[in-house]
Amino acid sequence: KGFSSVNFFLSLCRFQAFVYFASVFQAMSCGIHYLASVFMAVTPDFVCGIPGNVSSVLFYNSSESSLEDIWTLWTSTENYIVVRLENGEIWELNQCSRSKREMSLSLAYEYKGNKSIFSCSDGFLYDDTKWKSTVVTEWDLVCDREWLAKLIQPTFMLGVLIGAVIFGDVADRLGRQRVMWFTSAGQFIFGIAVAFTFDYYSFVIVRFLLAMVSSGYLVVAFVYVTEFVGIKARTWASMHVHAFFAVGVMIVALVGFLVRTWWIYQIFLSIATLPFILCCWMLPETPFWLLSEGRYEDAQKVINIMARWNKVSTPCKVSELCSVQQDDLVDGGMGDNDTSSTKKHNILDLFCNWQIARRTITVWLIWFTGSLGYYVFSLSSVSLGGNEYLNLFLIGAVELPCYIIACIGMDKLGRRNTLIPFLILSALICVLIMVIPQDFNILIILANMAGKFSIGVAFGLIYLYTAELYPTIVRSLAVGSGSMMCRVGSVVAPFCVYLRSVWIFMPLLLVGIMALLSGILTIMLPETLGKPLTNTLVEATEIGRNGKSCSEKTPPAHSDVALEKIEMFGQETVSNEK
């Protein structure tokens, strides 16, 4: 039977609904901070500062009394402005230099006489018709300091990369709830702090920390909501996190259109975090993580809270779910599976055997390809022109139907069977764009949007697929390391676009090759649709062997039985309410 978006919302009982929407609301803030620099670091038109008071301004054949009237005529960085000062001096103002005319009495645009060239020691004059202030105008990040402006987004993405790995690992060690509280509080604190930084270097450092906590929250939130919803709603629960992220992108466009001063713009964007800060302390730890750590009493408390919220009179007992005998707890003889659950895990566990190692390499490649293709197609769409605020809004909005299609495909066809065709379709679209004549602009635009749509399906799907492919003890680490490869792809993407100078289709060729390779390797991954989450590496290894789940081949661990029954318990509460 089909499971639509409406059914997803209806399937969430009171407790799960509160936990889910509280968690994914904060994902909007992640989308906001990821794209905030699009308008914050805008470089407007500019020229060298004027060494005195201006009496008249000349631009080509247009004579004005102030520079503000000239900006509407500015068309190229090769342009210059001629100004007459009150003391009679005539200066030519270029973007990165200025020159004084030696023997000129008349104000004319063309001048063939002697000039004395000077640096822009008096600062710069900026076009403030669109933006009253940006970080570029705040600290004069132009000319020989232009490279500092270009480092703003790469340093942010570096923080995203590091934060995904660090907080993914910390969440497996200390729990999901603590990390979500810390990272959400960090987003608000660092987000506000960015607006009050006093120079470029403090700005970059605080933004780097903001990137780390934003990435950390997003990674752990995916794992958190996955572990709190049942098998039936897991697909839509995961994909709607992406939808809230896309809403955050649209909010950036809206706030950018309304607020044109960078530090006020940053404060308004950061306020979106505040509602979650006020209630995030109420979120419980997931029973999955508590059981994997052997904290059965704490897991029972969470289940009892779920029962009260959902008005279930007879909540299930952890002791019954796990069939744990008291003498096993005292002796600590709970078997190899339990020993592995209390062991501290690291990234090497993602390569513990050949099956898991091959799975990890393939998953990492998909993460990298999805990010690379997503940003290459996005950067190509910038050339569409028009209103930049509307363009960004549409870039966020186009992701919403993409995730709906991905959800339907994952529920109808399965995770792997949806991922493979969309990866290969992305490769085919890259080839199609290469053969379309360059004067067919509308067709090229439609093909690029189709490419972004198809790679977006794969990009959104891989979060949930990764969480389902790995056991509880390393799930956050697996998603975090995958997100790290995703960020590597986002850092490589701009350099890939620069290869257009070598051959105009080189970026598309690289994305097409990577998408085709990823699609072929995905064939070897197991299907996870309708299967319970695993708890140990042994069970995760058995997924997909001979088309059977691990529970069909090997006796499940105590905690894994509990986890599966907790999912069933969550679904039963819904039917009891109905």
Side-chain angles (χ1 to χ4, degrees), residues 373-435:
Y374 182 89
Y375 286 104
V376 166
F377 281 117
S378 297
L379 292 173
S380 300
S381 66
V382 176
S383 60
L384 297 177
N387 186 295
E388 58 267 34
Y389 305 104
L390 179 60
N391 289 345
L392 182 63
F393 186 88
L394 294 177
I395 285 175
V398 76
E399 297 181 38
L400 301 181
C402 161
Y403 301 138
I404 294 176
I405 296 298
C407 287
I408 295 174
M410 284 192 292
D411 279 343
K412 296 289 186 179
L413 305 176
R415 283 74 160 123
R416 181 184 61 185
N417 295 335
T418 301
L419 185 59
I420 293 172
F422 276 101
L423 283 171
I424 296 177
L425 178 61
S426 301
L428 295 177
I429 291 175
C430 289
V431 176
L432 177 63
I433 296 174
M434 294 168 64
V435 300

Side-chain angles (χ1 to χ4, degrees), residues 170-203:
V170 171
D172 282 330
R173 296 172 183 268
L174 301 181
R176 286 67 160 124
Q177 190 268 349
R178 292 180 183 178
V179 174
M180 289 179 64
W181 181 87
F182 176 82
T183 52
S184 59
Q187 283 189 79
F188 179 74
I189 294 172
F190 293 133
I192 297 295
V194 167
F196 295 98
T197 49
F198 52 87
D199 62 9
Y200 169 80
Y201 297 101
S202 61
F203 171 81

Side-chain angles (χ1 to χ4, degrees), residues 560-578:
D560 189 49
V561 175
L563 304 183
E564 183 177 357
K565 290 184 177 180
I566 286 175
E567 290 186 342
M568 296 171 59
F569 168 69
Q571 295 172 2
E572 288 170 359
T573 57
V574 179
S575 61
N576 289 338
E577 287 182 331
K578 294 178 181 178

Side-chain angles (χ1 to χ4, degrees), residues 14-15 18 282 304-312 577:
R14 291 185 183 89
F15 182 84
F18 168 76
M282 300 173 60
N304 292 340
I305 294 174
M306 293 170 64
R308 287 197 299 271
W309 273 64
N310 298 333
K311 297 182 179 181
V312 177
E577 287 182 331

Side-chain angles (χ1 to χ4, degrees), residues 324-362:
V324 178
Q325 298 179 358
Q326 189 65 32
D327 56 342
D328 289 334
L329 294 173
V330 174
D331 297 337
M334 298 189 65
D336 296 336
N337 289 337
D338 297 277
T339 302
S340 65
S341 67
T342 58
K343 170 189 172 183
K344 297 301 180 182
H345 296 274
N346 54 52
I347 200 168
L348 295 179
D349 290 301
L350 301 181
F351 299 87
C352 62
N353 57 55
W354 168 243
Q355 287 81 7
I356 296 296
R358 184 177 61 185
R359 184 179 305 175
T360 299
I361 293 172
T362 302

